[in-house]
Amino acid sequence: MTSVLGLAPVIPVVVVDDAATAVPLARALVAGGLPAIEVTLRTPAALDAIRAIAAEVPDAVVGAGTVISPAGVSSAVAAGARFLVSPGWTDTLLDAMKASGVPFLPGVSTTSEVVALLERGVTDMKFFPAEAAGGTPYLKSLAGPLPQARFCPTGGVSLATAPAYLSLPNVACVGGTWMLPPAALTSGDWPRVESLAREAAGLGGRGAV
């Protein structure tokens, strides 16, 4: 099982209300240099969106976000999700994600949660909600005692703050929504999305996985 960390410096976090927009949206993100796309399981259209992207945008690495139950793991993988992201974790959820056979990023916001995951052999994690949970100072403080943990901070991260996160030795990428302005999604302004994605991709990566 490979890691999703390092595919691109930024993982777009997508909330899809209409599955018909999923394919052009994904194509715009991929064209802009952001192949890893997290579709959150927050809407009825999410699984259909994942199916469509998996089937029609071969260069995309589509994943499922807001995975909070074993049932969510199963349905996401069945729809074609190639990675899983959760806002937090329990032993039951972690077992299901491990058994899925796809890479996953369990969410953490405390040192104890990080240590508990390391104890379970998990080193790749989502730091959420990043800004509210302490931001770059918090993650920087974890690098010394827990250097083996690698993070994808998500939650309040912006184009302005992303470079500070990416400069940390324990941050491989960030998750964000700023390249997906609601007005552009509503109007189908995919060139705008592609342009913002290209700007985000230019923040610098950690190399391919």
Side-chain angles (χ1 to χ4, degrees):
M1 183 171 61
T2 58
S3 170
V4 67
L5 298 182
L7 287 175
V10 179
I11 297 179
V13 180
V14 183
V15 179
V16 178
D17 293 310
D18 181 358
T21 67
V23 168
L25 171 59
R27 285 176 175 156
L29 291 171
V30 170
L34 300 181
I37 302 169
E38 175 187 338
V39 177
T40 66
L41 302 184
R42 301 181 192 176
T43 68
L47 291 175
D48 285 338
I50 291 171
R51 287 188 193 95
I53 294 170
E56 300 183 44
V57 192
D59 291 332
V61 181
V62 64
T66 322
V67 178
I68 59 173
S69 69
V73 170
S74 299
S75 59
V77 173
R82 293 170 60 184
F83 65 91
L84 306 169
V85 183
S86 68
W89 68 277
T90 64
D91 286 326
T92 299
L93 179 59
L94 186 65
D95 288 342
M97 290 193 293
K98 279 191 165 189
S100 72
V102 301
F104 57 91
L105 295 175
V108 297
S109 60
T110 70
T111 306
S112 294
E113 290 170 326
V114 175
V115 172
L117 283 178
L118 293 174
E119 192 175 78
R120 295 287 305 271
V122 177
T123 57
D124 293 352
M125 311 172 193
K126 171 182 178 175
F127 180 60
F128 177 83
E131 287 290 286
T136 52
Y138 192 95
L139 284 174
K140 186 176 182 179
S141 71
L142 294 182
L146 302 169
Q148 61 272 57
R150 299 197 308 160
F151 300 98
C152 175
T154 305
V157 181
S158 67
L159 178 64
T161 60
Y165 280 103
L166 292 168
S167 71
L168 299 177
N170 56 350
V171 170
C173 61
V174 300
T177 61
W178 72 84
M179 72 297 299
L180 303 163
L185 301 187
T186 300
S187 64
D189 187 355
W190 309 126
R192 173 66 172 157
V193 172
E194 181 180 340
S195 175
L196 292 171
R198 185 170 292 106
E199 183 180 34
L203 293 175
R206 293 289 190 261
V209 180

